[in-house]
Amino acid sequence: MLKNNQLFSFLLLTCLLFVGATAVHADDSDTHMNYQRGGAIVKPLDPLQPDPTKPVVPVDPTDPAGPPVGTGGSLSLDFASSFQFGNQAISTKDKTYYALAQEYTDFDGTKKKGPNYVQVTDVRGTAAGWELSVKQNGQFQTAEAQELKGAELIFNQGAMISNLSNTYAPSANTTFDLPLDAEINVATANTDKGIGTWLYRFGTNETTGAQAIQLKVPGKSVKYAKKYQTSLTWTLKDVP
């Protein structure tokens, strides 16, 4: 048995932030309100029905301590799923494996499963837009640097979801293949888009989410009965 065709995805790594404030005022009366750009860390939301008042606690299949805390700031990368492909039998046939669905505990303490996702929050108050990219940092390999040659990660059923109107939805790739060691743009919020918190999820529920992220491995790849892993870098930039 190959105990190990497992992807441990290293999370949220680069985020460029803006600092400052934008004011909104009432008109001619002496009653005023100033909106300041946000900056508190935003907790992960439910990928099935995101509600900012009901954060969830995701399970990180690669770290029992849980996922890293979000970057914080007025433009923030709040969360990115790690991917686990389970224990697989060694095979000389071409195989496609699927990342397990994201496990989490919802606001009411109920354990659930849903699609894997990446969460972005923009509370700069400028509606200037942003860009999300991802990079696979090398091929799957064992601790002894034995590579799983030809293995390829493919993301499907990508879509943006929020508690806000789709009028403000960023554009996002519905499907993409990850090249090795090359950053690719996967979601863009142009001016007046991507305001608030948006989840870039892969699949719409537990069932589709468990089929959305694929790991294709050629049968001709030499395989050892060991754990294989790689890492992903998600990068959030403040320019669309």
Side-chain angles (χ1 to χ4, degrees), residues 1 15 19-20 31 46 54 64 74 109 132 142-144 164 170 199 210 218 235:
M1 294 289 290
C15 183
V19 179
T31 300
D46 192 327
K54 297 179 178 180
S74 54
L132 178 68
T142 67
E144 294 76 28
L164 300 174
L199 280 63
T235 301

Side-chain angles (χ1 to χ4, degrees), residues 30 80 104 132 136 153 162 176 222 228:
D30 289 328
Y104 59 98
L132 178 68
Q136 181 177 335
L153 272 174
S162 176
F176 60 90
V222 175
Y228 288 82

